[in-house]
Amino acid sequence: MKALVINGTLKTSPELSDTEALASVVAARPAELDVKTESVRAVDLAIAPGVVTDAGDGDEWPGVHDRLLDSEILVVASPTWLGRPSSVAQRVLERMDATMSETHDEDRPVARNRVAGVVVTGNEDGAHHVISEISGALADIGCTLPGQAWTYWHLGPGPGPACLEEQRGRDRAHSTGRTTADNLCGVARALAERPLKAPS
């Protein structure tokens, strides 16, 4: 079983990313459960705007798309900017929109039987709003979202220290992140044993 984390940070590698730090807590747990996990920092790739699987010459989304289809578990991670998901995370979701018209065996949509979760960071309020926006998009695309399929770290309204600079709330965010991973892995295994059929 495989898991893919797509990080929607605005920071290019190798710059430290608070979102990556919290997402790594979620990503580390599946390894303990014999699930192979890999991460993609989307901002490092040339991902063209659009709602297609392949936007043509130079577009690097098809490689991410292939890794997504090779995984049973997806985690979309995003910082909060202006109370919303990052533009990079939004672009990832828009590109995933194309999977709604893709099917494999028995005309089953490719997102069906794939579980998804969310990681959010920021030093301003709005975590639940960002989680709901990303979760809603993933559900629309066809992924299954277990209960407690998210974690976040937010210091509160207004400017302040970042997640990597601040201890307050970190233990709770990490604990919730481990629970998120457990729930994702558990539901992914259940769907592997008893997959949902194609829509009738």
Side-chain angles (χ1 to χ4, degrees):
M1 189 165 284
K2 296 180 181 178
L4 176 66
V5 177
I6 303 180
N7 182 1
T9 181
L10 301 182
K11 298 173 180 176
T12 56
S13 297
E15 190 174 357
L16 288 176
S17 162
D18 293 302
T19 306
E20 183 172 291
L22 184 53
S24 69
V25 174
V26 178
R29 187 70 163 182
E32 301 172 13
L33 305 171
D34 296 322
V35 176
K36 181 180 178 183
T37 305
E38 61 176 329
S39 298
V40 173
R41 194 183 285 207
V43 74
D44 290 339
L45 304 175
I47 299 176
V51 290
V52 296
T53 296
D54 191 340
D57 188 37
D59 180 29
E60 293 187 83
W61 175 256
V64 181
H65 174 268
D66 290 345
R67 292 156 85 175
L68 174 61
L69 295 191
D70 194 38
S71 303
E72 292 82 10
I73 300 168
L74 169 67
V75 175
V76 175
S78 176
T80 302
W81 288 112
L82 301 175
R84 303 181 62 84
S86 74
S87 57
V88 174
Q90 182 64 30
R91 179 164 295 189
V92 165
L93 294 171
E94 288 168 351
R95 294 302 299 270
M96 285 183 63
D97 183 89
T99 63
M100 294 174 73
S101 59
E102 297 176 20
T103 59
H104 46 59
D105 60 304
E106 303 172 355
D107 292 324
R108 188 180 298 160
V110 296
R112 206 165 181 85
N113 298 310
R114 197 172 314 284
V115 300
V118 184
V119 171
V120 173
T121 58
N123 63 4
E124 55 186 296
D125 203 3
H128 282 85
H129 174 74
V130 175
I131 290 165
S132 67
E133 285 206 7
I134 297 174
S135 296
L138 292 169
D140 254 359
I141 290 163
C143 296
T144 297
L145 282 82
Q148 185 54 68
W150 49 262
T151 189
Y152 70 91
W153 181 90
H154 270 246
L155 185 59
C163 178
L164 287 170
E165 303 167 338
E166 176 61 58
Q167 289 294 327
R168 282 179 294 170
R170 190 181 296 185
D171 288 347
R172 175 68 176 173
H174 286 199
S175 173
T176 307
R178 290 188 292 272
T179 299
T180 294
D182 288 346
N183 292 346
L184 291 171
C185 292
V187 173
R189 287 201 171 94
L191 287 173
E193 293 176 10
R194 300 188 66 179
L196 298 170
K197 296 180 180 179
S200 57

